[in-house]
């Protein structure tokens, strides 16, 4: 029969006679290990290790070419994305949203406004998403300066209230505010960072989408600058402000204003006084209640049929972000990544 070595016997006796001290030491070592692990992990994701390969070539990962012709392309309006949190380490869906918009709008400036980019910073953080998006000549990533954005609008005083940041839904409400001000000031197209764009959206002027029965959504907006509808939205934002109800400043606001604009009681696909409410299949082909369908396998024929009349697909990231996506797979979302943001998809496969 094997006997325990003497040094192990001595260690056992010591631990038995100093149980509390041993427990404290074990807890301290565990804490130190976890701290070191998370620091290494954080460094890994924010450093060059979590970047594109050393031999990275834009031509290889991003086969993106401007149409033939001399000189820059004529501008057809801006496509805006906004990040209102301090986050500067975006993920795959963010990358795919911007990439798909850049590919489908080669004649437009795709402007990504990020609150986390301090004004004094001369360069972007070292992160693979920024390296990848820099390959697209029409993508611009800029700091989001909120007081400057809201100046000259009814929302200027609203934003400067000292206790505003303590409201329960401040970040989504801030995002709702940014999009309607951007549309009023500059016009163009606004998209949430959880869209995958399938087709050029420039022909959808003064338009927004129906997300489900009797409700509009502002995840996609397309308006000419200084449009009266957006002006009414800004006024309603301040006049009927309620920070305690989810969606009150977003989908509910747009629905309220559109019903008044058209003098209707129920939202339906229609054009009214120059503003169009697009049917759900245009930009919300997957209702938010059915977001799990994004992770279910579909055939190429089913995908074509589903997206036949679709310009962009909203991924409902608030609901879906914790769901595992197999890459590669026949899941609907995986196929969207593969077809409409192939550079991001290549990075996903690499990781």
């Amino acid at each position: 029969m094997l006997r325990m070595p003497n040094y192990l016997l001595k260690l056992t006796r010591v631990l038995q006679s100093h149980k509390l001290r041993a427990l404290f030491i074990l807890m301290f070592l565990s804490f130190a290990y976890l701290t070191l692990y998370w620091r290494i992990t954080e460094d890994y994701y924010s450093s060059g290790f979590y970047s594109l390969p050393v031999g990275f070539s834009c031509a290889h990962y991003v086969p993106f070419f401007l149409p033939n012709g001399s000189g820059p392309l004529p501008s057809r309006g801006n496509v805006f994305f906004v990040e209102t949190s301090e986050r500067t380490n975006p993920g795959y869906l963010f990358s795919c949203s911007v990439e798909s918009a850049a590919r489908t709008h080669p004649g437009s400036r795709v402007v990504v406004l990020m609150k986390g980019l301090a004004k004094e910073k001369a360069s972007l953080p070292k992160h693979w998403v920024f390296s990848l998006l820099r390959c697209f000549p029409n993508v611009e990533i800029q700091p989001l300066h909120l007081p400057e954005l809201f100046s000259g609008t009814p929302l200027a005083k609203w934003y400067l209230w000292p206790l505003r940041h303590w409201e329960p839904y401040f970040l989504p409400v801030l995002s709702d505010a940014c999009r309607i001000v951007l549309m009023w000031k500059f016009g163009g197209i606004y998209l949430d960072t959880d869209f995958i764009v399938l087709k050029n959206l420039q022909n959808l002027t003064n338009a927004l989408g129906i997300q489900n029965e009797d409700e509009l959504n502002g995840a996609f907006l397309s308006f000419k600058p200084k449009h009266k509808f957006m002006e009414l939205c800004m006024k309603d934002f301040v006049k009927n402000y309620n920070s305690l109800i989810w969606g009150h400043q977003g989908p509910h606001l747009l629905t309220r204003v559109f019903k008044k604009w058209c003098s209707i009681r129920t939202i339906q696909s229609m054009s009214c006084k120059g503003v169009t409410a697009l049917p759900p299949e245009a930009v919300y082909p997957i209702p938010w209640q059915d977001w799990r369908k994004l992770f279910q396998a579909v055939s190429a024929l089913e995908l074509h049929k589903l997206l036949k009349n679709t310009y962009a697909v909203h991924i409902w990231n608030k609901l879906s972000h914790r769901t595992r996506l197999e890459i590669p797979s026949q899941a609907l979302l995986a196929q969207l990544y593969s077809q409409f943001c192939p550079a991001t998809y290549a990075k996903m496969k690499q990781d």
Side-chain angles (χ1 to χ4, degrees):
M1 182 177 179
L2 293 174
R3 295 182 61 185
M4 186 181 294
N6 289 335
Y7 70 90
L8 287 179
L9 285 170
K10 290 179 181 179
L11 178 60
T12 303
R13 293 192 189 102
V14 170
L15 289 175
Q16 287 176 346
S17 60
H18 300 281
K19 288 181 179 179
L20 288 176
R21 186 178 297 176
L23 181 61
F24 174 78
I25 292 171
L26 287 173
M27 290 175 65
F28 174 79
L29 290 173
S30 298
F31 175 78
Y33 170 79
L34 287 172
T35 302
L36 179 63
Y37 171 80
W38 287 115
R39 182 163 297 178
I40 292 171
T41 303
E42 183 179 2
D43 291 343
Y44 174 82
Y45 281 102
S46 61
S47 69
F49 288 108
Y50 192 63
S51 62
L52 295 166
V54 175
F56 172 75
S57 165
C58 283
H60 175 69
Y61 275 82
V62 186
F64 178 81
F65 303 100
L66 295 173
N68 292 330
S70 59
L73 283 170
S75 175
R76 297 194 60 195
N78 297 325
V79 179
F80 289 103
F81 292 93
V82 176
E83 177 58 66
T84 52
S85 74
E86 299 292 338
R87 185 183 179 191
T88 57
N89 59 336
Y92 300 118
L93 184 52
F94 180 105
S95 177
C96 184
S97 295
V98 180
E99 179 188 344
S100 62
R103 288 180 182 276
T104 50
H105 298 79
S108 302
R109 292 168 66 229
V110 179
V111 183
V112 183
L113 300 169
M114 302 186 73
K115 186 172 178 286
L117 298 180
K119 194 169 186 177
E120 62 272 15
K121 285 186 178 178
S123 59
L124 293 172
K126 291 182 179 180
H127 192 278
W128 69 266
V129 170
F130 301 122
S131 299
L132 187 152
L133 294 179
R134 267 199 298 261
C135 293
F136 293 92
N138 57 335
V139 172
E140 300 178 16
I141 301 173
Q142 302 177 8
L144 173 62
H145 304 304
L146 292 168
E148 182 181 329
L149 175 64
F150 293 136
S151 67
T153 75
L155 279 74
K157 290 183 178 179
W158 165 84
Y159 177 69
L160 293 175
W161 187 56
L163 301 181
R164 186 69 63 209
H165 291 239
W166 296 100
E167 293 175 351
Y169 302 121
F170 174 67
L171 282 181
V173 168
L174 183 60
S175 178
D176 293 330
C178 288
R179 67 191 70 183
I180 61 176
V181 170
L182 282 168
M183 290 296 95
W184 184 78
K185 274 194 167 184
F186 307 106
I189 294 167
Y190 166 84
L191 290 166
D192 275 1
T193 54
D194 57 349
F195 259 110
I196 298 180
V197 186
L198 318 185
K199 302 173 187 174
N200 191 289
L201 298 160
Q202 294 288 0
N203 291 331
L204 304 178
T205 308
N206 301 331
L208 64 173
I210 299 173
Q211 71 170 3
N212 53 32
E213 186 178 351
D214 204 37
E215 190 164 52
L216 296 166
N217 193 309
F220 157 79
L221 295 171
S222 177
F223 280 86
K224 293 182 178 179
K226 304 301 189 292
H227 196 281
K228 184 66 176 179
F229 185 85
M230 283 292 110
E231 182 182 339
L232 293 175
C233 287
M234 290 192 298
K235 290 179 178 178
D236 186 282
F237 188 99
V238 176
K239 181 181 178 181
N240 299 310
Y241 187 72
N242 188 333
S243 64
L244 302 178
I245 301 175
W246 173 267
H248 187 79
Q249 306 304 124
H252 300 174
L253 180 151
L254 294 167
T255 302
R256 289 194 303 270
V257 175
F258 189 78
K259 285 181 176 180
K260 291 179 183 177
W261 179 266
C262 297
S263 301
I264 57 175
R265 292 186 178 182
T266 304
I267 294 292
Q268 54 188 305
S269 177
M270 61 185 294
S271 290
C272 176
K273 294 194 288 187
V275 178
T276 302
L278 300 169
E281 60 265 25
V283 286
Y284 306 109
I286 308 294
W288 67 265
Q289 301 93 328
D290 299 330
W291 64 267
R292 290 181 179 82
K293 287 185 178 179
L294 292 161
F295 298 87
Q296 296 173 3
V298 296
S299 67
L301 182 62
E302 289 174 310
L303 186 65
H304 175 74
K305 184 178 179 180
L306 176 67
L307 304 179
K308 183 179 179 181
N309 299 311
T310 299
Y311 288 83
V313 180
H314 195 219
I315 306 303
W316 309 108
N317 188 52
K318 181 176 174 59
L319 300 169
S320 65
H321 70 281
R322 295 186 182 276
T323 306
R324 178 180 173 82
L325 177 65
E326 294 290 340
I327 296 290
S329 72
Q330 289 300 110
L332 193 160
L333 183 54
Q335 293 191 59
L336 292 177
Y337 273 110
S338 174
Q339 293 182 39
F340 300 102
C341 53
T344 301
Y345 184 71
K347 183 68 172 70
M348 295 173 77
K349 290 196 296 182
Q350 172 190 307
D351 291 344

